[in-house]
Amino acid sequence: MYLAEDKAKASTVQPADGHCADTVDLMTAATAPGGKWQTFPNSHISHHGAACCDIAHEWLIAFDYAQLNGGDVLTGPRWMREHSKWGPTAWPIHWCEAVDADVVDCGVHAAIAQEAFVARGVPAFRAQFIQRYSADATASWRENWDKESVSDHWIDGDAIYHEGNAVLVGTDEVKLWDGSAGWWINPRGEMGYGSLAAVRIEADLEGFEDGLRWGERRIKLNQWVAV
Amino acid sequence: MKIYVSGLYAGGNPQPGVGIVRSLRQGYPDATIVGVEYSNRVSGIHFDELDELWIQRPWGELDLDAYGDKVCEALDAGGLWISGSDLEAMWLASVFPDGHPNLLAPPMSGIKRITKPVVEAASSLPIKIPTYLSTEHSDWDLHAFCREHNWRVWLKGPYYDASRTPTWDTFTAVRNALSKVWSTEKLFLQAHVSGYEESVMLSAYRGELLGAVSMRKRDITPEGKTWAGDVSEVPLAFMEPLRQMVRDTNWTGGGELEMVRDGSDQLWLIEMNPRFPAWVHGSTIAGHNLPALLVQAASGVVAKTVPAEASEFTRIVLEVPVRPDYPLPPLPEPFAGAVGHSMKHPSGLTALAARLHKIDPDMLDVAMAPDGTEPPNGLAELPDTFVADIGRQDFDAMQTPQYIYMESTAESLFKRADDRAHRLSTNDVEVISGYSIKTNPDKRLIKLALDHGFYAEAISLGEVQSALEVGFRPDQVILNGPGKWWPEGLMPRETMHAVFCDSIADLDRVVAAVAAGEMSAKHIGIRIRTPNITSRFGIPLDSPTTFAKLIAAVKRLPTDSAFGVHFHMASSHVGVAQWWHLFESMLRWCQSIEKLSGRTIEMLDMGGGWYPDDWHEDQISKIARAVERVRTMLPAVRQIASEPGKAMAQPSMALAMRILEIQEHEDDYVEAVVDASIAEIPMHFWQPHRMVRKCSETGELQPIGRGKTHLMGRLCMEHDIIASNVQLPEGTRAGDLLIFCDAGGYDRSMSYVFGRG
């Protein structure tokens, strides 16, 4: 995950740094649905301002369309998970790096999927999730992220912060796409391992003052909503 | 209370019997549940919740009349019967045409109304039926269906069994196999629908819906069968028409609607089964015990309710003790020298299918058209020009096998293409056609191309020379392909119309050759290889890295030639709709290439591999729209070249042959040896040919339909079978003339000399 405010100072960030320059207090208790991620911004991929990133971005849009294979434009960009596995990403990351990387985190997957959906003409919004796992799972991920010297601030106890997309499928109905998993999140709201504890959809309120419908729920925009 | 339950097969593709028993046991702990089976190899008979077993001999051996009497006795004695097998339910419906109060299976009238693929009874439900076509249609039409649906099609039998047939040879092989298994030629092709699978299970008694649940598959076996799922209420919009459907069909028993939900949330009905599904107990776990509701309605005895344990279920594999009175039979020995054991269903269900056909030849029919509609006759119509061209031949003086040049057919095809190109051209954008010489290098066809304003598309310098010999000028030649420098020394020094580079190495060589004055072209461009389609040609776009190399390479192209892009994929191979998606995708790639390289595209060359019907008949409006799309997306394009390829060549020749010998075998099976072979018609595996016999007495052209005759080529090679499952017209004998049309494309250009001396 990469913080929006860092995009502005991307040129000053050394890619070798390997850690997110976040301003979130990692020790904040998860008292709200968002917990320590209460004000956490969505990840944004940086642009070198050069041909390398232009080429990568153009390739992404054309490649996604090619992969649609004649299918419905609402088909999730499942190809992303095949193209780049889920794993640690050192932030900041630029388009030319993100699109060509073998391993990327959910922030990259979500940022790429967002570009793909929008280029297809599908209204889509960035979405943030908090998911329940287990101590074993989060310990394992913490170890993997540590090995790559990448910040593991997305892990908090048995919970994790995750990113995806909310894709508009009706006038005010969305489906939630988890690009790192390659599936649509089940809106039935099961509890337990891997389940969704909270969601925040970042979108312009205009036209959606009552939020967006996801399954049986209505999700208020730009705020964490417990599931 | 005694309840008979059948369909206890509990292998990887299980029947519902064990699930029904588990559910009934929850609802009626004290009931006597009798497991009914037709083989002691069916593992479900060892399930310990069964109180009694009633094991019959396999369906192939059973005396059906006597067995029917026994079932009747059991029902008359108060026993209830829940069938777990489609075919058994059909047989029971034939035994009890008016039903029986204790038979908890649908009546024959209801079963007939859920016959695949139309599933007429479900027409009021908010679901669609995927497009389908009966295999009673001609091979010509079936091939067209496969192309139209991008070869993402399934060949299905009346019950069970569906095989993907991604190529024509697979289709013909599967058709033979399924016809044998189901003792019927009446199969159907159905378009694939991509999406998530879900089902609605129902329970009904005498036309009253007792309950229904919805299930989404959450894990599947390699065969696509349910392994895990989540259960929920059926939405009201579905429930009400479902209730009406149950009334209309006077349904009794379980039932399942198998569906796919596509990306736009549309439900497509794949089939409806006249029984509970194998995941039936998953529903009971979720608090919906539909088998118990059925028994409750039939018996009046209230079932014990058990609260839901979860809304999701999954399967596990369990080892259970074998009942000592039904010890496991030995596994049959593999045939000598063969690999593996027969894994057919142990109860011999396909034998039951054959017997049901004898009881009622229409019972297992697939439902294709409304009653009274004339069924297709399986014969492809011959165009008038074919008849005229064949009629002009002097077959008496003709040595066979012999290719026949279909003169008026060829002329009309080239003329139509010429007219269309003119019609689509504007002052700003010229539309031209290129004749792909490799498709058929016959000089008569090349000349026709020249006379009708085509350009010559060549993939070798030898082909360039052929075009020049016929009269093409170098500036009417488009040079393409990976080996365009071969043979050496024949590259024209005059300016050619266009040269396309197949790789970056090729591009660098072209750039060097142009710089050295060794070649010149009005347009120099690239062939691109769009991702997601397997191809050995063109410059790949698979990764940002390869794309960056392409952009850099385009920047190296000489600036005194116009820039062009070539895109080629055989539409007959990938399917028509897929081709148009690729076309659209290619335009997007072109926009990106223009934006990133700074070079505007002035010529677009789009091939190819068009099947004649797709090109000549219903594509005109699509091609016009495509031209418009190019104008919008790539405004600098001044010329669009299309390469109809085999759309021109394939119908332009036919192959005449004579029957050498006819061998009659048992069961109407006939083998006829002809003097042609796969050396003259090498594409027979990949495409159908419209075939006719010329009647030796009347001279009439008689279409050859489908039947039990195999046409064997003259070669001493095992695979020299040039047509399978055809029906020669009455009176055909040795010496008669057969004509295979549609042989002027790769059949002609790839024919070889094997077996000619």
Side-chain angles (χ1 to χ4, degrees):
Chain A
M1 281 65 64
Y2 181 45
L3 304 184
E5 52 265 46
D6 280 343
K7 186 176 182 187
K9 53 183 179 181
S11 58
T12 62
V13 176
Q14 296 302 309
D17 182 336
H19 283 275
C20 187
D22 59 80
T23 55
V24 174
D25 180 359
L26 298 182
M27 300 307 288
T28 303
T31 50
K36 73 177 189 179
W37 304 292
Q38 189 65 37
T39 58
F40 212 70
N42 275 299
S43 305
H44 290 271
I45 298 172
S46 304
H47 195 292
H48 277 121
C52 57
C53 286
D54 286 339
I55 288 173
H57 192 263
E58 286 291 327
W59 176 86
L60 159 71
I61 302 303
F63 190 79
D64 173 70
Y65 188 82
Q67 293 292 329
L68 257 184
N69 216 13
D72 197 283
V73 289
L74 289 173
T75 309
R78 179 79 174 80
W79 62 266
M80 283 189 332
R81 174 66 195 249
E82 305 303 312
H83 179 71
S84 49
K85 291 178 193 157
W86 176 75
T89 289
W91 291 84
I93 190 168
H94 298 80
W95 281 107
C96 60
E97 300 153 340
V99 171
D100 213 13
D102 292 333
V103 176
V104 296
D105 68 15
C106 62
V108 175
H109 278 145
I112 289 178
Q114 184 68 18
E115 297 293 315
F117 280 124
V118 171
R120 291 179 195 178
V122 174
F125 316 106
R126 298 296 296 272
Q128 296 165 296
F129 313 128
I130 292 170
Q131 291 178 304
R132 308 174 184 94
Y133 275 95
S134 67
D136 284 341
T138 54
S140 167
W141 286 324
R142 201 182 290 279
E143 197 173 309
N144 289 346
W145 258 246
D146 285 351
K147 270 186 203 159
E148 298 296 321
S149 302
V150 174
S151 169
D152 59 10
H153 57 271
W154 57 282
I155 301 169
D156 186 16
D158 296 353
I160 65 158
Y161 167 86
H162 192 49
E163 288 189 23
N165 312 84
V167 179
L168 198 65
V169 293
T171 49
D172 67 344
E173 185 183 356
V174 287
K175 294 205 295 184
L176 297 182
W177 173 249
D178 182 341
S180 296
W183 61 47
W184 298 97
I185 296 175
N186 189 354
R188 291 202 186 159
E190 292 102 343
M191 299 288 285
Y193 191 90
S195 63
L196 193 63
V199 60
R200 181 168 68 181
I201 298 173
E202 183 184 280
D204 190 346
L205 275 176
E206 195 177 341
F208 304 116
E209 287 77 8
D210 294 333
L212 290 163
R213 191 159 58 84
W214 179 57
E216 301 295 310
R217 294 179 177 78
R218 192 159 279 280
I219 310 289
K220 288 273 184 193
L221 299 183
N222 306 315
Q223 56 185 274
W224 283 104
V225 177
V227 173
Chain B
M1 186 191 301
K2 192 175 243 186
I3 311 169
Y4 295 80
V5 179
S6 63
L8 298 170
Y9 184 73
N13 183 7
Q15 293 178 306
V18 169
I20 294 170
V21 172
R22 295 175 74 193
S23 300
L24 291 178
R25 184 57 75 208
Q26 282 196 358
Y28 296 95
D30 301 326
T32 300
I33 303 179
V34 184
V36 180
E37 254 310 334
Y38 305 89
S39 166
N40 58 337
R41 194 182 291 284
V42 169
S43 59
I45 66 173
H46 302 288
F47 184 48
D48 61 3
E49 293 284 1
L50 289 168
D51 300 299
E52 295 175 16
L53 284 177
W54 202 26
I55 306 296
Q56 311 298 324
R57 295 303 302 157
W59 286 107
E61 288 181 30
L62 264 179
D63 179 330
L64 292 180
D65 291 335
Y67 182 48
D69 291 342
K70 282 190 196 172
V71 173
C72 191
E73 277 172 33
L75 297 177
D76 288 346
L80 300 167
W81 188 291
I82 301 179
S83 180
S85 151
D86 294 347
L87 289 178
E88 188 202 61
M90 294 186 81
W91 171 71
L92 287 166
S94 73
V95 175
F96 302 96
D98 301 322
H100 187 291
N102 290 348
L103 176 61
L104 307 184
M108 184 59 87
S109 59
I111 288 177
K112 291 274 187 189
R113 293 185 61 190
I114 64 159
T115 308
K116 286 196 287 186
V118 293
V119 196
E120 176 269 324
S123 56
S124 59
L125 292 167
I127 45 184
K128 288 184 179 176
I129 307 281
T131 312
Y132 56 83
L133 189 72
S134 161
T135 55
E136 291 177 290
H137 283 266
S138 69
D139 281 5
W140 193 254
D141 291 341
L142 296 170
H143 193 268
F145 183 89
C146 295
R147 297 194 310 274
E148 183 185 353
H149 296 285
N150 305 319
W151 293 97
R152 294 178 202 141
V153 292
W154 294 83
L155 182 58
K156 296 183 174 181
Y159 287 93
Y160 318 128
D161 277 350
S163 288
R164 259 215 67 194
T165 53
T167 56
W168 184 246
D169 62 326
T170 309
F171 167 78
T172 52
V174 173
R175 180 172 61 185
N176 287 346
L178 283 186
S179 293
K180 275 183 193 155
V181 166
W182 294 105
S183 313
T184 179
E185 296 287 324
K186 293 178 181 175
L187 312 170
F188 65 96
L189 268 172
Q190 193 159 38
H192 175 75
V193 177
S194 184
Y196 289 100
E197 292 175 55
E198 55 186 72
S199 292
V200 165
M201 172 172 52
L202 65 95
S203 178
Y205 187 68
R206 301 204 149 185
E208 282 307 313
L209 185 64
L210 306 170
V213 291
S214 181
M215 187 277 293
R216 298 185 308 179
K217 293 186 186 183
R218 298 286 290 273
D219 208 351
I220 54 174
T221 68
E223 295 167 299
K225 306 295 176 186
T226 304
W227 193 260
D230 63 50
V231 177
S232 61
E233 302 283 348
V234 178
L236 199 63
F238 199 103
M239 196 67 169
E240 282 315 307
L242 183 68
R243 194 182 301 284
Q244 190 58 46
M245 185 195 87
V246 164
R247 281 200 192 108
D248 293 344
T249 53
N250 194 28
W251 199 264
T252 287
E256 183 197 22
L257 292 134
E258 289 190 67
M259 297 168 289
V260 170
R261 189 181 291 278
D262 71 14
S264 63
D265 230 20
Q266 173 65 51
L267 277 175
W268 298 84
L269 181 63
I270 305 303
E271 63 182 310
M272 180 172 175
N273 302 314
R275 53 164 171 78
F276 289 116
W279 54 271
V280 56
H281 193 64
S283 161
T284 303
I285 287 169
H288 304 273
N289 191 339
L290 299 196
L293 284 180
L294 179 60
V295 169
Q296 180 174 290
S299 67
V301 180
V302 176
K304 184 181 167 191
T305 54
V306 177
E309 294 176 68
S311 61
E312 299 179 333
F313 66 88
T314 189
R315 288 184 177 149
I316 58 173
V317 177
L318 287 175
E319 285 74 31
V320 299
V322 166
R323 293 174 187 266
D325 42 350
Y326 285 99
L328 300 176
L331 196 59
E333 184 181 74
F335 290 109
V339 177
H341 299 264
S342 164
M343 297 304 284
K344 287 179 184 169
H345 196 285
S347 70
L349 276 171
T350 54
L352 175 58
R355 299 185 72 180
L356 290 178
H357 272 296
K358 286 182 182 150
I359 294 170
D360 174 0
D362 299 330
M363 196 189 298
L364 290 179
D365 263 8
V366 289
M368 291 293 172
D371 286 343
T373 309
E374 193 70 22
N377 63 10
L379 300 175
E381 244 180 74
L382 227 50
D384 291 343
T385 60
F386 280 25
V387 177
D389 285 328
I390 293 170
R392 278 191 205 101
Q393 308 300 317
D394 180 5
F395 290 108
D396 293 336
M398 186 183 285
Q399 278 285 333
T400 52
Q402 178 74 53
Y403 289 102
I404 304 167
Y405 178 57
M406 309 277 273
E407 192 174 356
S408 70
T409 301
E411 287 233 20
S412 67
L413 295 174
F414 279 91
K415 183 169 186 322
R416 281 165 70 179
D418 189 13
D419 290 346
R420 183 160 70 195
H422 277 108
R423 204 167 52 248
L424 294 174
S425 293
T426 65
N427 289 338
D428 294 333
V429 182
E430 183 191 19
V431 176
I432 61 165
S433 301
Y435 179 67
S436 164
I437 295 171
K438 68 177 184 292
T439 315
N440 187 336
D442 189 288
K443 294 279 196 304
R444 290 169 291 188
L445 293 172
I446 300 176
K447 181 70 167 57
L448 269 182
L450 176 65
D451 293 345
H452 288 89
F454 278 56
Y455 283 59
E457 287 239 14
I459 58 162
S460 71
L461 297 180
E463 286 192 352
V464 172
Q465 294 304 316
S466 289
L468 299 180
E469 281 164 23
V470 169
F472 276 98
R473 301 186 311 269
D475 66 357
Q476 292 173 307
V477 170
I478 298 166
L479 183 56
N480 230 317
K484 66 172 65 68
W485 300 91
W486 174 85
E488 277 188 73
L490 294 180
M491 182 70 78
R493 292 298 176 115
E494 300 93 333
T495 299
M496 286 183 284
H497 184 68
V499 172
F500 291 101
C501 306
D502 198 61
S503 64
I504 287 177
D506 186 20
L507 181 145
D508 288 337
R509 189 168 175 184
V510 165
V511 170
V514 170
E518 292 167 6
M519 66 168 283
S520 162
K522 185 177 175 192
H523 303 88
I524 294 181
I526 51 169
R527 174 172 177 168
I528 56 174
R529 184 198 299 179
T530 48
N532 208 33
I533 290 288
T534 306
S535 171
R536 56 161 283 204
F537 299 109
I539 302 174
L541 300 161
D542 300 19
S543 70
T545 307
T546 57
F547 188 47
K549 284 180 185 166
L550 171 86
I551 299 301
V554 169
K555 289 179 177 175
R556 295 198 292 275
L557 283 171
T559 49
D560 52 356
S561 296
F563 175 42
V565 170
H566 175 64
F567 152 80
H568 189 118
M569 180 51 63
S571 76
S572 59
H573 177 61
V574 299
V576 176
Q578 172 79 337
W579 194 93
W580 285 108
H581 171 74
L582 281 170
F583 169 75
E584 183 76 18
S585 174
M586 185 268 302
L587 293 185
R588 286 166 189 245
W589 285 107
C590 285
Q591 281 187 314
S592 295
I593 291 167
E594 280 193 339
K595 185 174 166 185
L596 296 165
S597 69
R599 292 293 304 261
T600 53
I601 298 166
E602 294 183 48
M603 181 188 180
L604 203 61
D605 184 330
M606 51 191 215
W610 289 95
Y611 212 73
D613 286 1
D614 299 337
W615 177 259
H616 294 288
E617 287 176 10
D618 58 354
Q619 296 299 311
I620 293 171
S621 59
K622 281 191 180 174
I623 291 169
R625 280 201 297 275
V627 170
E628 198 47 50
R629 194 88 179 112
V630 173
R631 286 190 184 118
T632 308
M633 292 181 72
L634 302 170
V637 166
R638 293 288 164 264
Q639 190 177 63
I640 300 170
S642 67
E643 189 194 325
K646 63 190 175 204
M648 298 293 136
Q650 189 173 296
S652 300
M653 288 188 178
L655 180 67
M657 64 189 78
R658 284 197 168 82
I659 295 178
L660 299 177
E661 180 181 290
I662 294 181
Q663 307 158 8
E664 293 182 13
H665 303 277
E666 294 87 4
D667 300 328
D668 302 332
Y669 175 64
V670 176
E671 290 179 335
V673 182
V674 295
D675 60 6
S677 71
I678 54 167
E680 285 81 31
I681 197 137
M683 296 302 291
H684 78 288
F685 286 117
W686 311 109
Q687 66 163 84
H689 297 79
R690 288 172 281 196
M691 297 170 268
V692 290
R693 172 206 180 217
K694 190 162 191 297
C695 180
S696 52
E697 286 155 14
T698 64
E700 178 197 3
L701 294 179
Q702 301 169 311
I704 296 175
R706 205 155 45 243
K708 290 189 174 178
T709 298
H710 287 206
L711 293 182
M712 329 287 274
R714 66 168 192 279
L715 299 180
C716 191
M717 293 184 81
E718 288 294 354
H719 62 285
D720 187 19
I721 301 169
I722 63 170
S724 295
N725 300 112
V726 297
Q727 179 72 53
L728 295 175
E730 192 68 32
T732 304
R733 52 182 175 264
D736 279 1
L737 192 80
L738 304 181
I739 299 157
F740 275 45
C741 299
D742 314 295
Y746 291 107
D747 278 314
R748 179 68 191 93
S749 55
M750 293 170 69
S751 61
Y752 47 100
V753 297
F754 190 86
R756 282 178 173 270

